[in-house]
Amino acid sequence: MTAPNALTIWVHNILGITVQTTPFTPTNCPYSISTPSLTFGAGEEMAALNLAASQYNLTIISGGQTSIGYNGYMSGAGHGALGPTYGMAADNVLEMEVVTPSGEILTVNECQNQDLFWALRGGGGSTFGVITRTTIAAFPSVPLHTLTLQFGTPFPYSDTYWSAAAAFFSSYPSFASNYHLAGYGTFSPNTSISISANQTGNFGGFAGVFLLPAVSPSNTTTSLEQAILPIVEEIQSSYPGLFISTNTSATYPSFYDWWITSNGPDWGGIDLMVGSRLLDAEALSGNLTALKEAMMGATTTTMGQAGLMVDFVSGVGVWDAKPRGGGNSVNPAWRRAVVHCTNGATWPYAPSSPSALTERTTQQNLLTNTYVQALRTLAPNMGAYVNEADVNEPDFQKAFWGTNYERLVEIKRSFEGSVIV
Ligand SMILES: *[C@@H]1O[C@H](CO)[C@@H](O)[C@H](O)[C@H]1NC(C)=O
Ligand SMILES: *[C@@H]1O[C@H](CO)[C@@H](O)[C@H](O)[C@H]1NC(C)=O
Ligand SMILES: *[C@@H]1O[C@H](CO)[C@@H](O)[C@H](O)[C@H]1NC(C)=O
Ligand SMILES: *[C@@H]1O[C@H](CO)[C@@H](O)[C@H](O)[C@H]1NC(C)=O
Ligand SMILES: *[C@@H]1O[C@H](CO)[C@@H](O)[C@H](O)[C@H]1NC(C)=O
Ligand SMILES: *[C@@H]1O[C@H](CO)[C@@H](O)[C@H](O)[C@H]1NC(C)=O
C-alpha cells in the first residue's frame, strides 16, 4: 500500500453478502431499479463477490486480483474485463452506507446525499468517509469467448518487433469500437516466451488474451477470430520473421468460469513501482511512429523489469455508461480511453542496504521521468488510473480526476469541516 503515516481503519471483519434477484429500491427513492443486485459489507473481497454472484448465474464488474476489497477498487473507478460491456465498477453502484468523519451514518444514493454518492464513485479511496455497505448492479451471466495470442521476434529484435507491436497496438481502437472486445496483454522488450519447440527463449514479444462476452447472437468464436486474425495476418506479412501463435479454442460457460481459472492465488506482495496512462484512439492510431517511440520509451530491456502491460478494459460500455444519479466522479479520461497501460520498475528488496535504497530511488526516478513520461508525451491530454498510478505523478489532480477535481475538493472540505475532535 502507498499510505505512509496515514490513519488506516480495519474493515476486514465487516462481512456479509446478499444477492437480490428482484428490483432494488434505494432508500427514500419513490421508485425501484429493475436490476439484480449484490449488497455487501466493507470487508468483502473480489473472490467472494464473484462466487456469490455466480451462484445465482449473475456476474459483476470485477478486477483480477482475488483479495482486493471491492470498495477501494470501486472508489477509484474500478476497471474490469466486463467494462467494455457494462462500464466500470463505479458506474454500477446503486447505494452505499457511509460513516462520515463526524461519526454520522449516512445512506447515500441518487435520492439522498447525492454529493457524497457522486464523490464516492471515482473520487478515490480513504477520502470522504468509511464505506460500510454497498449495493451494486449485477448482470445475467453469458458465455465468454477467449482468444490467446503470442507473437515475437528473437534478438536482435528492436526494429521489427517494435514496428509490429505498434502496428498491432494501433488496431485496439477498432477492436473496441467495432467489436466490443476486452482483454489483457503485455508488450515485453525482453521476455522468455515459448511458441514452439524451436521458438523458445528470450524475445521481444507480445502475449495476451482477448475476451468477448457473448451478449449478442453475433458474438461467437468465429466473430472473435474474424476481428483479430486479419490484423495478425497483416502484421505477419508486413514483418517477416515474426513468430505468431494464436489459440481460439476456449469458450467458458460464464465470465466467472474464466475469471476463477485465470486469477489468483494472489501474490503475498512484490516490490514493484507502477505507473499508469490511459490512452485514447488518437494516441493509439494517430501516429504510428509516435506510438512506437512511446512503447519503446515506456519500457526497459532489462530482463525482470515489467513490460508495457495493456489492460484492454475500456470501450463502449465505459464511454456510454449511465451512472445512477446522472453521473459520478470517475476520471473523465476513462470516457475517452481505449486502454489503461501500466508499466513499472523493480529494485532488489533489501530494506537495510544503502545500495538497494539508492537503486530504488534511481528506478523510481526512471519510472516517473522516463517510462511513464513516454506515455504522457504520447497522450498529454489523457490521464492516469488512480488505483495503479505512479506515486509521483506530476499534476496528479488533473491526471487522476480532470475536470472533476474541483467539485471533489469542495465536497471533501464540506465533510472535513464537520469533524468533531
Ligand atoms: C443457473 O443456470 C443453470 C444452467 O442453466 C441452472 O441449472 C441453474 O438452475 C441456474 N441457477 C440459478 C440459481 O438460477
Ligand atoms: C458483439 O456484438 C455486438 C452487438 O451486436 C457487435 O457490435 C460486435 O461487433 C460483436 N463483436 C464480435 C467480435 O462479434
Ligand atoms: C520450427 O517449428 C515449426 C513448427 O512448430 C516448423 O514449422 C518449422 O519448420 C521449425 N523450424 C525449424 C528451423 O526447425
Ligand atoms: C489454449 O488456451 C487454453 C485456455 O486458455 C490453454 O489451456 C491451452 O494451453 C492453450 N493452448 C496453446 C497451444 O497455447
Ligand atoms: C509523428 O510522430 C513523430 C515522432 O514523434 C514525429 O516526428 C512526426 O512529426 C509525427 N507526425 C505527424 C504527422 O505529426
Ligand atoms: C535480455 O535479458 C537478458 C537476461 O537478463 C540479458 O542477458 C540481455 O542482455 C537482455 N537483452 C537486451 C537486448 O537487453
Side-chain angles (χ1 to χ4, degrees), residues 286-291 293:
N287 180 336
L288 215 54
T289 310
L291 178 63
E293 279 175 7

Side-chain angles (χ1 to χ4, degrees), residues 45-106:
E45 297 172 355
M46 209 64 88
L49 292 166
N50 271 288
L51 175 63
S54 77
Q55 286 165 343
Y56 288 80
N57 292 337
L58 294 172
T59 188
I60 56 168
I61 304 299
S62 172
Q65 302 291 311
T66 54
S67 65
I68 297 276
Y70 203 86
N71 286 335
Y73 158 78
M74 176 284 296
S75 55
H79 69 69
L82 293 174
T85 312
Y86 301 120
M88 310 199 72
D91 297 334
N92 289 289
V93 175
L94 307 179
E95 180 168 283
M96 285 165 281
E97 178 190 78
V98 185
V99 181
T100 69
S102 63
E104 260 184 297
I105 301 174
L106 301 180

Side-chain angles (χ1 to χ4, degrees), residues 75 114-125 127-128 328-332 386 396-398 400-416:
S75 55
Q114 290 94 334
D115 270 0
L116 208 44
F117 187 51
W118 180 83
L120 287 166
R121 293 172 298 154
T127 304
F128 306 94
N328 60 22
S329 52
V330 165
N331 189 344
V386 61
F396 70 88
Q397 297 90 335
K398 180 161 174 283
F400 298 159
W401 293 290
T403 49
N404 287 335
Y405 184 73
E406 227 164 272
R407 184 173 170 203
L408 284 166
V409 170
E410 258 171 50
I411 294 172
K412 179 170 189 261
R413 296 273 178 265
S414 75
F415 280 93
E416 278 175 352

Side-chain angles (χ1 to χ4, degrees), residues 46 55 57 73 85-86 112 124 132 135 159 185 215 222 235 251 253 284 291 298 322 337 348 354 365 389:
M46 209 64 88
Q55 286 165 343
N57 292 337
Y73 158 78
T85 312
Y86 301 120
Q112 60 180 31
T132 46
T135 300
D159 212 63
V215 290
T222 309
I235 59 166
T251 291
L284 292 167
L291 178 63
K322 300 271 179 291
N365 290 338

Side-chain angles (χ1 to χ4, degrees), residues 295-344:
M295 293 172 79
M296 293 174 75
T299 51
T300 160
T301 56
T302 311
M303 194 73 167
Q305 297 285 30
L308 182 65
M309 284 165 277
V310 176
D311 293 342
F312 187 18
V313 290
S314 195
V316 290
V318 175
W319 304 334
D320 300 345
K322 300 271 179 291
R324 302 299 310 184
N328 60 22
S329 52
V330 165
N331 189 344
W334 269 110
R335 308 301 180 198
R336 311 188 299 274
V338 174
V339 296
H340 158 54
C341 283
T342 61
N343 51 4

